[in-house]
Amino acid sequence: KEELEQMVHGYQTELDHLEEWVESIEDIQIQTMIELRYKERMTWNQVADEMGTVNTDDSCRKMVERFLAKGSDPDGSKKDDE
């Protein structure tokens, strides 16, 4: 039981860090798309509908994928290699 509680605590800590990271993303459009897709578990089509304007499911997906692939900090700057 204690081992399970430790695992749950670890997962909750990780989730808290991820939520803080998402909330710190300066590009509000990217932040919103990430929240809708991964937190609210919407499809890319639903994300595009929620975002409105001229966004398609593919454009939303590509914007988020590019942001994540860059290894960017929340402010959009590239992380330094450590």
Side-chain angles (χ1 to χ4, degrees):
K1 182 179 177 181
E2 187 174 317
E3 184 178 336
L4 180 59
E5 288 174 356
Q6 288 176 347
M7 288 176 58
V8 169
H9 177 72
Y11 290 134
Q12 186 60 52
T13 301
E14 183 75 16
L15 181 59
D16 291 344
H17 288 293
L18 286 170
E19 287 179 350
E20 288 173 15
W21 179 80
V22 170
E23 289 172 10
S24 70
I25 296 172
E26 291 182 2
D27 184 329
I28 196 70
Q29 188 176 26
I30 295 292
Q31 181 191 64
T32 301
M33 286 188 268
I34 288 173
E35 287 176 344
L36 293 173
R37 175 66 177 160
Y38 298 106
K39 187 175 181 182
E40 302 300 325
R41 314 238 344 128
M42 291 184 175
T43 65
W44 285 116
N45 193 39
Q46 291 169 320
V47 171
D49 288 346
E50 223 22 68
M51 296 303 294
T53 65
V54 295
N55 292 309
T56 66
D57 57 340
D58 280 340
S59 68
C60 290
R61 179 182 53 78
K62 288 177 184 177
M63 282 189 278
V64 170
E65 286 177 352
R66 278 189 224 115
F67 178 82
L68 296 174
K70 285 191 311 186
S72 298
D73 282 329
D75 66 359
S77 65
K78 182 115 173 107
K79 286 184 181 177
D80 291 335
D81 292 329
E82 295 180 16

